[in-house]
Amino acid sequence: MNRTIAHAIVGALVPVALMVATAPTFARGPSTQEERTEAVRLARYLEENPLADDAPTVRNSLLGFYDQVPDITVRVCYFLGPLQDKSHPFFTDLIRQTLISSGAFIIRNPDKMNDDVAVYTAGLQGALRAYEGFVKANPEARLTFVDGLLEKR
């Protein structure tokens, strides 16, 4: 077999193999109505109280929930501007909030779960609400790009 063709075949199959190898395996069944209701409530809680003492635990719990349930798929779409240094006090939490708020939107609007624009917009809106709480407590950590998004909201 021609070496170029072999490289092309391997190059095409490796990403597929990686996707299969890293695809989530769900050890549990679909989410319950109670879990979905609680996920929506907690997403709103984090948007309104991003610095609550229990916020890190709640974020981890919600992200774990979305990772485990087979009936809610939350995809990452990054809209928050230039990546920030890991030392930024809340940038990572903003990214996580986009996922959490997107998941809550999907739960509230199952008919729009495949409408990426609606889902990503809801995630971004939730992150902007959380951002307002973050900068209220830590104004020196403002992000110019995110401030611009707030102005356009």
Side-chain angles (χ1 to χ4, degrees), residues 3-22:
R3 188 174 253 187
T4 304
I5 293 172
H7 284 258
I9 291 171
V10 170
L13 291 178
V14 168
V16 172
L18 288 174
M19 286 183 346
V20 170
T22 60

Side-chain angles (χ1 to χ4, degrees), residues 43-44 46-47 50 59 62-63 66 72-81 83 90-106 108 116-131 134 143 145-146 149:
R44 177 63 66 179
L46 289 172
E47 290 171 6
R59 277 187 204 97
L62 282 170
L63 292 173
Y66 290 131
I72 304 169
T73 301
V74 180
R75 293 181 298 274
V76 177
C77 189
Y78 181 76
F79 289 111
L80 296 172
L83 288 175
F90 55 78
F91 188 74
T92 301
D93 291 331
L94 279 181
I95 295 170
R96 298 174 91 202
Q97 187 65 49
T98 63
L99 294 168
I100 291 166
S101 296
S102 291
F105 176 84
I106 291 168
R108 288 189 317 267
D116 290 342
V117 173
V119 172
Y120 297 150
T121 299
L124 179 59
Q125 290 291 343
L128 291 177
R129 284 189 287 277
Y131 176 76
F134 281 125
L143 298 164
F145 185 85
V146 179
L149 293 175

Side-chain angles (χ1 to χ4, degrees), residues 10-53:
V10 170
L13 291 178
V14 168
V16 172
L18 288 174
M19 286 183 346
V20 170
T22 60
T25 55
F26 302 108
R28 59 160 285 170
S31 62
T32 65
Q33 181 59 47
E34 293 79 21
E35 289 173 319
R36 291 189 299 274
T37 299
E38 184 67 356
V40 170
R41 185 188 73 77
L42 290 173
R44 177 63 66 179
Y45 170 75
L46 289 172
E47 290 171 6
E48 295 171 355
N49 304 286
L51 294 169
D53 290 341

